[in-house]
Amino acid sequence: MKIAVVQASSQVSKNEMLYEYTKKYAKDAEVINFGCFVDEDGNYTYVEIALLIGMLINSHIVDFVVTGCSSGQGMMLACNSMPGVLCGYVPTAKDAYLFAQINNGNVVSLPLGEEYTYTGEKNLEETIKALFSEPFGGGYPKSEAKRKIADAKKLL
């Protein structure tokens, strides 16, 4: 699996952390950091990044994208307006795990600024850890896995 990490410029200070945690927990994946980077001159909105994400997914350059913006909501909505993109909003580890197991989408959006208190980095790490804790699309709960997998396929 090829995974892209890219977030809006509003949260450029979180890029390296997002990239490092994705590499740490997506152990068998190739993780590519598309930025935005602290030393860049340009600033990119969540709408511009969502367009990039749509191109990365639809051209099959990557299979999955970890992204975010200040609230995570704008990026999720912008990504979901792109054809072929199924983006989940994952503010917690539980949301990330359920999205990966039930919805089996190709993009997750994290809230990188909203309520980012002293526990923000720990929550971000635990969320990414949960996201990649099992292969995607396994269904949840396991007793309902077959039905959940069939339902998720209707979205794509």
Side-chain angles (χ1 to χ4, degrees):
M1 176 186 283
K2 283 188 181 178
I3 300 171
V5 171
V6 59
Q7 82 298 322
S9 291
S10 64
Q11 293 300 314
V12 70
S13 65
K14 309 286 187 348
N15 174 266
E16 192 61 30
M17 181 173 42
L18 197 58
Y19 176 63
E20 290 302 322
Y21 287 139
T22 302
K23 282 193 325 184
K24 179 177 179 179
Y25 294 109
K27 292 177 174 67
D28 296 327
E30 177 184 353
V31 181
I32 306 163
N33 192 349
F34 284 90
C36 300
F37 300 106
V38 174
D39 57 355
E40 285 181 333
D41 290 332
N43 287 310
Y44 303 96
T45 68
Y46 67 89
V47 176
E48 292 167 320
I49 297 301
L51 183 59
L52 170 65
I53 290 168
M55 289 188 290
L56 290 170
I57 292 291
N58 285 297
S59 63
H60 306 286
I61 292 170
V62 299
D63 306 300
F64 193 82
V65 179
V66 176
T67 190
C69 62
S70 294
S71 70
Q73 293 283 357
M75 186 69 78
M76 182 265 305
L77 291 168
C79 285
N80 280 328
S81 71
M82 299 294 128
V85 175
L86 181 59
C87 180
Y89 173 64
V90 294
T92 68
K94 178 177 67 174
D95 293 312
Y97 179 78
L98 292 174
F99 178 75
Q101 293 308 305
I102 297 171
N103 303 112
N104 195 19
N106 50 18
V107 180
V108 291
S109 180
L110 295 143
L112 298 172
E114 188 175 281
E115 297 184 37
Y116 201 87
T117 62
Y118 67 96
T119 61
E121 182 176 348
K122 187 63 178 167
N123 182 62
L124 178 68
E125 180 179 8
E126 291 300 316
T127 300
I128 293 172
K129 180 180 178 182
L131 178 66
F132 296 112
S133 65
E134 294 179 24
F136 287 11
Y140 186 86
K142 298 301 178 195
S143 61
E144 297 291 320
K146 188 174 182 179
R147 181 180 62 82
K148 296 285 188 171
I149 293 167
D151 288 347
K153 286 180 181 175
K154 294 175 184 175
L155 290 172
L156 294 175

